[in-house]
Amino acid sequence: MEKLTFYALSAPEKLDRIGAYLSERLIRDVSRHRYGYVCIAMEALDQLLMACHCQSINLFVESFLKMVAKLLESEKPNLQILGTNSFVKFANIEEDTPSYHRSYDFFVSRFSEMCHSSHDDLDIRTKIRMSGIKGLQGVVRKTVNDELQANIWDPQHMDKIVPSLLFNLQHVEETESRSPSPLQAAEKEKESPTELADRCLRELLGRAAYGNIKNAIKPVLIHLDNHSLWEPKIFATYCFRIIMYSIQPQHSHLVIQQLLGHLDANSKSAATVRAGIVEVLSEAAVIAASGSVGPTVLEVFNTLLRQLRLSIDYALTGSYDCGTGIGTKIIKEHEERMFQEAVIKTIGSFASTLPTYQQSEVMVFIMNKVPLPSMQQSLEAGKAGENRNRLTQIMLLKSLLQVSVGFQCSNMLTALPSAFLDRLLSSALMEDAEIRLFVLEILISFIDRHGNRQKFSPISTISDISVLKLKVDKCSRQDTVFMKKHGQQLYRHIYLICKEESNVQAHYEALYSMLMLISIELANEEVMVDLIRLVLAVQEIAQINEDNLSTYNRCALFALGAAYLNLISQLTTVPTFCQHIHEVIQMRQKDAPFLLPEDVFVEEPKLSKSLDHLGPEVFFWQSKISEVLGGSGYNSDRLSTPYIPQLTDEDRLSKRKSIGETISLQVEVESRNSPEREQRAPAEEITYETLKKAIVDSVAVEEQERERRRQVVEKFQKAPFEEIAAHCGARATLLQSKLNQIFEITIRPPPSPSGTITAAYGQPQNHSIPVYEMKFPDLCVY
């Protein structure tokens, strides 16, 4: 062997003849079953291959590969293993020159076949499978860096390599069914096909470039489909963990897009299959590096929301082919519900990987998909339509809640843009109690930036809030602007939600948390005053009970007010305020415990029917609170004004005038306030007769008024420009003359103390004296 190696090194041109001879001998020995000579020939070839790295090795390799192929074709496991081992040694050699005419197609097919070996003897089967995996690993190493080779990433190769590796990953339990000793176990683990397949798959994916990811992932999806591996989802998740951790991070979004496409392709598969795909998506999204979900972020959410809507349709209609009746399958509603929950969880996972600005976009995107009563085109009529709308609203709000839970933004103005907040709050006034609760929870998750939410549960009237360990920061300028802009809107919705008959304990807990979080996170002095007024107005709802609320609802509102005022009084640290609140709570504990949270917000609330016969001492009085807080520098005028909800933007929009009407209103105001009008209209004496006449003639007066407005509008719409300009010019002149009179009065200089001084031209002229020289009476001097 030494002599042969020396000869081959000194005369490299003879290498191909040496290879051809050895190849011929080996093929003959294999066919004659002289396996000893086969081993010798292979060993000789291996040693020559390892020693000779000269440029003429290419021709020798042809002979070598022919011999390896011959061994792999043999039915003897030992020869297959021998051939594979030689091939692996060859694969680890880096050749100096590329090869133009070498093909590995046979090796890919044969090694893949060996990976699926089903030999009766378990040990031999394991060895053959491991040889197959090693062989595939060798092919990948040999071809992946050689640009002249047939592309290993082509689907025809990937469709063999990837399933072979997955097949061995999947059969982990077969080799581990026997329980060996710890020493054997360590050895066994080293030799396990599963370990080897895992390593090989990671290496393969790690070498995948941007354009090759798709071809590597597609066989994985097909394998999981063919072997029904989505349903338990454990193996599918395991596979995609390997994939996500092996590929280059910047390619993560390609895998996610593949999974989304596969989810769309399986739209009509069983709910369990779709749920499996979605859960794998969720895992993949968590692993994907932050911000690398790709350029089409909204497309990801669009696909998931589309699947959610389809699932709702399936659950309602009971078939995948809505109305066609062809190939319908029985749909289990609980499975669809599981799928919906999986989609919602995935939406949350995706959103958590995104930067803040994209999370905001996603939330606006989801909110715009929620069908609302104000958008007639998105609501479906009829019983089925109502159900679909309700389920869609609930599922989308659940998704929104998932996204908002992981959302951290210090600036509330950017976190809750007007368009988003308006739509969210309009769904807060729906009759459905579940939807209202979701809206409250979403708002709470936005406002709670310091994790205080859990500290307000359960609701109670504790005497010392320091035990809650609340994190309180000073209200920032942006938060002040946010509350100036949206505060009244929030108060109005809290007020209206309190009036809902269908509220349960969870609603009151959410309302309480909401009030407290606004007080801690977003409150300046003005907001505090408004919140106290709001809570007193809520107490009045329960006291007067115009809406015929149940006893529980009334007691809950009383209890909510007591708990809130108890906490807010301790936050404001005004002793007299704390004392008043504490006194009322003590009176309630003594005479009306059913007005306190400790008796109302429990599993079996203790209520009283006689809510209309309570004494004044168990209520919080606006006048008293206004007095005690006014003495500490709070705005007592505002505090003493009862809270009345403002008109909403929707109301204003519905009452918005056209341009013509707006002009007519302005003209009407002008004409009413003009001096001529004042002179013309004498004060009218009001008697019984005039009142009677006003009532009778009101219709005629309205018609005249309407006609007059129409004429004014028509004038402004049809009159020539010069006429309108002249009319407005006359008004302007009148206004200017009035202004001139006012300026003359205000600017005229004061008379001089020394009387008038005659000027050079003989005209008397007033000289103004500087203020510091003027003589003031003693009473004017401070």
Side-chain angles (χ1 to χ4, degrees), residues 675-701:
E676 305 102 289
R677 174 100 180 175
E678 282 174 22
Q679 288 161 15
R680 278 201 310 273
E684 189 181 351
E685 190 184 345
I686 296 170
T687 62
Y688 172 73
E689 286 303 317
T690 47
L691 285 172
K692 186 178 176 186
K693 192 177 175 186
I695 293 165
V696 173
D697 295 350
S698 61
V699 177
V701 171

Side-chain angles (χ1 to χ4, degrees), residues 352-468:
S352 64
T353 68
L354 298 174
T356 308
Y357 74 94
Q358 278 189 327
Q359 284 181 328
S360 294
E361 283 176 19
V362 167
M363 288 187 285
V364 172
F365 180 73
I366 296 174
M367 194 64 230
N368 287 338
K369 297 264 182 191
V370 178
L372 295 177
S374 57
M375 297 172 59
Q376 294 304 324
Q377 72 276 14
S378 66
L379 287 180
E380 297 176 51
K383 190 81 175 107
E386 281 173 24
N387 277 345
R388 185 175 284 112
N389 288 329
R390 182 180 171 275
L391 280 170
T392 308
Q393 286 158 354
I394 287 173
M395 290 303 164
L396 291 175
L397 289 170
K398 262 190 184 179
S399 309
L400 199 55
L401 182 58
Q402 278 286 337
V403 179
S404 65
V405 165
F407 182 70
Q408 286 296 323
C409 183
S410 55
N411 186 349
M412 290 300 291
L413 277 169
T414 51
L416 290 167
S418 295
F420 175 78
L421 190 63
D422 291 347
R423 282 184 66 86
L424 184 62
L425 288 174
S426 62
S427 50
L429 299 180
M430 289 187 183
E431 288 180 18
D432 193 289
E434 197 175 353
I435 291 174
R436 288 202 306 278
L437 188 57
F438 276 126
V439 173
L440 285 171
E441 291 292 346
I442 290 164
L443 285 168
I444 286 166
S445 64
F446 276 119
I447 298 169
D448 183 20
R449 292 168 294 185
H450 293 91
N452 287 318
R453 166 72 205 271
Q454 297 309 317
K455 296 168 185 174
F456 302 129
S457 185
I459 305 178
S460 63
T461 49
I462 53 171
S463 53
D464 181 13
I465 62 163
S466 61
V467 297
L468 297 179

Side-chain angles (χ1 to χ4, degrees), residues 214-280:
K214 194 173 178 182
N215 289 348
I217 304 301
K218 200 173 179 189
V220 178
L221 298 171
I222 293 169
H223 182 84
L224 295 170
D225 281 348
N226 292 345
H227 295 271
S228 307
L229 294 169
W230 292 111
E231 289 176 39
K233 84 173 184 297
I234 298 158
F235 180 68
T237 309
Y238 172 56
C239 285
F240 275 90
R241 276 209 191 112
I242 291 175
I243 292 167
M244 295 307 288
Y245 282 124
S246 304
I247 61 171
Q248 294 165 41
Q250 67 269 29
H251 301 158
S252 304
H253 67 275
L254 290 173
V255 179
I256 285 163
Q257 281 172 354
Q258 286 273 91
L259 277 165
L260 285 166
H262 197 65
L263 179 60
D264 272 344
N266 279 281
S267 287
K268 292 186 179 178
S269 300
T272 45
V273 172
R274 282 177 286 133
I277 299 172
V278 166
E279 295 213 13
V280 170

